Amino acid sequence: MNKHQPSSVIAAGALRPRDPRLDFFRGIAMFIIFVSHTPGNTWTLWIPARFGFSDATEIFVFCSGMASAIAFGKIFEDRGWWMGTARVSFRVWQVYWAHVTLLLFLAGWLAFLQIHGMVERDYVGGLNLWHLFEDPIFNIPGILTLTYVPNYFDILPMYLVILALMPVMLLAYKTGGRTAVAGLAIALWLAANFRYLDLPAEPWSDRRWFFNPFGWQLLFFTGFALMRGWIPRPPVKKSLLVIAAIIVLASVPFSYFRVFQVAPVFLEMARDIKVLTAKTEFGIFRYLHFLALAYLAWTAVGEGGKYLLSSGIWGKVVTVIQKVGQQSLAVFLASLVIAQTLAIVRNEVLGGKTALTELFINLAGFAGLIAVAYTVSWYKKHPWRAPAHNAK
């Protein structure tokens, strides 16, 4: 592990410097996810998903794979498979209850506003949550068993299933090395894309999970493998930069709505290749597009993220974004609640969508994410354990 390689608290509680790149890009993903989860947000016209096949979900999953390699990989290596599995299962437990709590809290919050006549629109129905209130004895078990997963709440279930696959992948590596891991990851991805592995999203229909974890695990374990050194880091070469740029630019005509308006043929072609760009199963074009974009971004920030390190205004901005990335789970949970609440404020209090109200809700949302990140970071330092000063 070189001096720039990221790490966190690993076996025996050792602390090592964090990689500025990982936290930075996870922070960027959190801001984009907030924008995309705010109902009716016109700023979604400018997020990366409008200009290419991949979007912030790919950033989140890929960086989570890298972060998991740091947080869990060393435990598997030093403490053995069983202890590593125990550590991962604890994280799965945390993510599971984070998902359940988020869903029930947001459902209760929206229902409270509606039953007290504080809003005019049906925000509960907008998130497909009326089934929960109309038949709770049937649908609360669905929430707890992840067989009722409304679309707005679909990222964390996907993430926890992928986490649960980690011990399986590490066992494959233990028995067959990198080849076994690659073979298993590709096999699961193919099974998902050919619809052999689907998970039900609601008991009353054939709707399935919007994010199929058996497809998306391919990206997660790509990041995991890169961080563990199973895949060598790509060299910085002009030819690779050109190829990556071509891939990114070539996807724009098949993704950007203004191109569709001028040249409808690209819309027809985009529909024809939908199986290759599908978000649910994680189509192969999304994978290639993200890898190309990630290579360009990785190169742009320099060796070890040196271009992110600055003492000026840019450095301060980067520091804030990294703080958001460091607390990505807490920020993500808060972002969904903040996004819904600010959309309600815009619609019910500020008189609807205008350029000014859109600016307000997005900047207010960004401020909220930053506040959550710094607050959670403060709590994680356990300030009450520090020596008291001037205590009475």
Side-chain angles (χ1 to χ4, degrees):
M1 185 178 293
N2 64 39
K3 65 179 181 179
H4 296 299
Q5 190 160 344
S7 188
S8 61
V9 180
I10 56 178
L15 284 171
R16 298 183 185 179
R18 302 182 69 101
D19 189 304
R21 297 166 295 185
L22 184 57
D23 290 334
F24 177 76
F25 288 116
R26 282 204 296 182
I28 292 292
M30 290 301 101
F31 287 111
I32 297 172
I33 287 173
F34 163 77
V35 171
S36 64
H37 278 81
T38 304
N41 193 347
T42 56
W43 283 29
T44 58
L45 297 176
W46 303 104
I47 62 176
R50 299 296 171 262
F51 303 93
F53 300 137
S54 65
D55 58 27
T57 309
E58 276 82 358
I59 303 175
F60 174 79
V61 172
F62 183 75
C63 290
S64 295
M66 300 184 81
S68 294
I70 299 167
F72 309 125
K74 190 67 174 175
I75 297 176
F76 279 95
E77 181 180 315
D78 292 346
R79 303 291 301 278
W81 186 85
W82 284 107
M83 192 59 68
T85 299
R87 177 65 183 91
V88 171
S89 67
F90 179 67
R91 186 58 171 173
V92 169
W93 179 254
Q94 290 176 313
V95 174
Y96 170 80
W97 285 111
H99 163 72
V100 171
T101 303
L102 171 68
L103 197 161
L104 293 178
F105 175 83
L106 194 49
W109 168 235
L110 297 179
F112 173 82
L113 295 177
Q114 288 192 205
I115 63 177
H116 287 85
M118 298 180 184
V119 295
E120 296 182 0
R121 303 188 187 189
D122 181 11
Y123 294 98
V124 173
L127 293 185
N128 191 25
L129 292 173
W130 274 121
H131 296 279
L132 170 62
F133 295 104
E134 292 171 349
D135 195 358
I137 198 169
F138 184 68
N139 289 311
I140 288 179
I143 291 173
L144 297 178
T145 58
L146 302 180
T147 54
Y148 175 27
V149 182
N151 280 343
Y152 194 72
F153 306 92
D154 42 25
I155 291 182
L156 289 184
M158 174 260 287
Y159 178 47
L160 68 87
V161 171
I162 293 176
L163 283 176
L165 286 172
M166 196 186 308
V168 179
M169 290 297 181
L170 269 295
L171 184 61
Y173 181 78
K174 184 177 180 180
T175 57
R178 294 178 295 181
T179 302
V181 173
L184 180 55
I186 293 172
L188 289 173
W189 177 80
L190 287 172
N193 275 263
F194 283 98
R195 301 291 303 277
Y196 292 119
L197 288 174
D198 274 337
L199 295 172
E202 53 193 24
W204 56 86
S205 78
D206 60 358
R207 187 173 71 83
R208 54 207 175 94
W209 282 20
F210 184 74
F211 293 109
N212 188 323
F214 302 107
W216 281 84
Q217 55 78 31
L218 180 66
L219 183 61
F220 179 94
F221 287 111
T222 298
F224 189 96
L226 278 167
M227 190 57 67
R228 293 300 299 160
W230 300 348
I231 301 175
R233 69 172 65 185
V236 178
K237 297 174 60 176
K238 183 177 180 180
S239 58
L240 291 178
L241 288 169
V242 170
I243 292 172
I246 290 174
I247 292 173
V248 170
L249 292 175
S251 73
V252 174
F254 303 97
S255 308
Y256 190 38
F257 74 99
R258 295 195 186 280
V259 174
F260 296 159
Q261 294 172 348
V262 176
V265 64
F266 283 107
L267 177 58
E268 296 176 11
M269 295 172 67
R271 290 169 176 167
D272 291 339
I273 63 172
K274 193 67 176 177
V275 67
L276 302 176
T277 63
K279 193 165 188 176
T280 294
E281 296 83 14
F282 188 56
I284 189 62
F285 279 9
R286 299 184 71 92
Y287 185 59
L288 295 176
H289 178 266
F290 176 78
L291 291 181
L293 193 60
Y295 180 73
L296 293 174
W298 175 72
T299 304
V301 298
E303 177 68 20
K306 62 182 180 181
Y307 298 130
L308 297 175
L309 305 176
S310 171
S311 59
I313 295 178
W314 169 241
K316 293 179 181 178
V317 171
V318 168
T319 298
V320 171
I321 295 174
Q322 289 172 332
K323 182 65 70 174
V324 172
Q326 290 168 11
Q327 310 300 335
S328 57
L329 179 58
V331 169
F332 174 79
L333 295 171
S335 72
L336 268 62
V337 177
I338 294 172
Q340 286 289 320
T341 302
L342 286 174
I344 292 171
V345 170
R346 178 197 60 202
N347 297 337
E348 308 290 338
V349 179
L350 301 180
K353 281 193 285 188
T354 65
L356 188 58
T357 59
E358 291 291 88
L359 177 66
F360 168 77
I361 65 167
N362 282 285
L363 293 184
F366 293 168
L369 303 192
I370 294 168
V372 168
Y374 276 91
T375 300
V376 171
S377 177
W378 182 80
Y379 273 106
K380 284 186 175 181
K381 292 177 183 177
H382 301 147
W384 45 86
R385 295 180 180 174
H389 297 289
N390 301 321
K392 295 182 179 180

